[in-house]
Amino acid sequence: MKLHELTIEQASGLLKNKKITSVELTQAVLDRINEVDDKVGAYLTVDSEGALAQANAADKRLTEGHAAMLTGIPLGIKDLMCTRGLRTTCASKILENFVPPYDATVISRLKEAGAVIVGKLNMDEFAMGSTTEHSGFQVTRNPWNLDRIPGGSSGGSAAAVAADMCLGALGSDTGGSIRQPASHCGVVGIKPTYGRVSRFGLVAFASSLDQIGPLGKCVADCAILLDAIAGYDRKDSTSVPEPVPTFLNIADDGLSGVVLGIPKEYGTTKGIDPQVSEAVGQAITTIESLGGRCVEVSLPHTEHAVAAYYVIAPSEASSNLARYDGVKYGYRDKEQTDLLQMYRSTRSKGFGLEVQRRIILGTYTLSAGYYDAYYRKASQIRTLIKQDFQNAFASCDAILSPVAPTPAYPIGETVDDPLTMYLSDIFTLSANLAGIPGISVPCGFSKEGLPIGLQIMGSHFSESTLFKIADQFEKTAGIFKKKPPL
Ligand code: GLN
């Protein structure tokens, strides 16, 4: 097996047994990026020099015998987590040359574990989008079919993992941005419970919904990554001082006694591709054969999730993005001499059209006279969605559903049709509105050979249960070993 094709778990074992070095492994990943990223376009910045220096340091640590699971493992980072000394753009022209003076907490934790940061991955600008076409710099292509979207907004992260251009990656999920690209690219991705992972140093999109999480080639790799980044951080007032179990200790005792909820509303969702229903249906049968018991549950307010999310997220975004004014940092239109003109022109030239659309939407829904009709109403729906989940989890341990209504669609299909793009988030948004965790695990392929994902959602802080179900399913289905034909 080629070094870049290893999982984190495999590579970690080989590093510890001195069968390979981190420099060899990192070089193999850098070579792989050179070989295929021209076609895929996953990376915005590759830090070859820095990565090899970190690999050297990791090799020393491995020799000294105090290595952690991630010591020497090459990882990619979505370009909206601050990396000290390494450009962090959020895929936006407005931050094109922004070099953070500090590390996000997740980055400090990866560095403490001895991980190697290979580079920064493409995304929809400020994480607004579901296709990675809304990057200010480049389109990322799906490694399984280069004419298709990789999903988004963490499309660079999912594509890089799928194409073996890193062993694992971090993404962020505000309304599905880890799970949906994971599903489209045939990798595993988990959005942890809100508050489980520190957001310090994550550039904010919608602060009450944003959460960082891992993408990996298999369930165990996501558990290893979450072990490294989870836990309370006094620098993030929304991080939760809840004890963090060792996620890698995935229980291997079958699924008997596990009750799985199947939401009755999801079967009648409009626009769902029959191939997705079929693959998810088969996954449910597999999980039942492992001993899981399925019951019907009801999430009656799901139909309002898209409307509520697309009021709440843009409202928070319009406030969060007010800081990019051309004064303190980032791009400034230097030709303007009048202050107001400078603001206007900097923001018009610095932000892409999707980001401008969100700012305008959010400013409108927060403005006097409209706040009650939109923002307050959306917040009320959010409460009802949370209650739906509470009621459902009274009778089940986890909920199974599709991740996206269709497999990855052709590049360009929704660029001029934002509403269709927004509607495709129907299965993922609710978890963010409720703050609960959700994992996407590959469960099949369409007839065109495009991956399809199964979503498993659980109650707050139930990540271990999600890992257990996903892992047992993955081991039985055996899908993750298939590679894209690059
Ligand atoms: N697709 C959703 C949006 O455009 C979610 C994005 C995300 O999770 N960052 O807002």
Side-chain angles (χ1 to χ4, degrees), residues 257-296:
V258 178
V259 183
L260 298 140
I262 314 292
K264 67 170 190 224
E265 293 78 8
Y266 286 9
T268 54
T269 305
K270 273 192 235 109
I272 182 158
D273 185 316
Q275 299 192 85
V276 170
S277 310
E278 198 187 312
V280 170
Q282 269 170 14
I284 294 173
T285 310
T286 305
I287 288 173
E288 280 178 324
S289 74
L290 291 166
R293 185 166 64 83
C294 292
V295 297
E296 187 179 87

Side-chain angles (χ1 to χ4, degrees), residues 78 80 123-131 134 152-154 172-181 191 205-206 209-211 309-310 313-314 354 358 421-422 424-425 428-429 432:
K78 186 178 183 180
L80 80 175
M123 50 184 280
D124 288 297
E125 184 177 4
F126 284 100
M128 298 173 194
S130 315
T131 66
H134 304 280
S153 62
S154 311
S172 67
D173 191 312
T174 304
S177 279
I178 291 175
R179 291 160 285 157
Q180 184 257 26
K191 178 200 99 71
F205 160 15
L209 302 160
D210 299 340
Q211 188 64 192
Y309 172 89
Y310 279 98
E354 182 60 29
R358 306 279 179 118
M421 181 179 81
Y422 298 169
S424 73
D425 293 336
T428 50
L429 300 173
N432 301 75

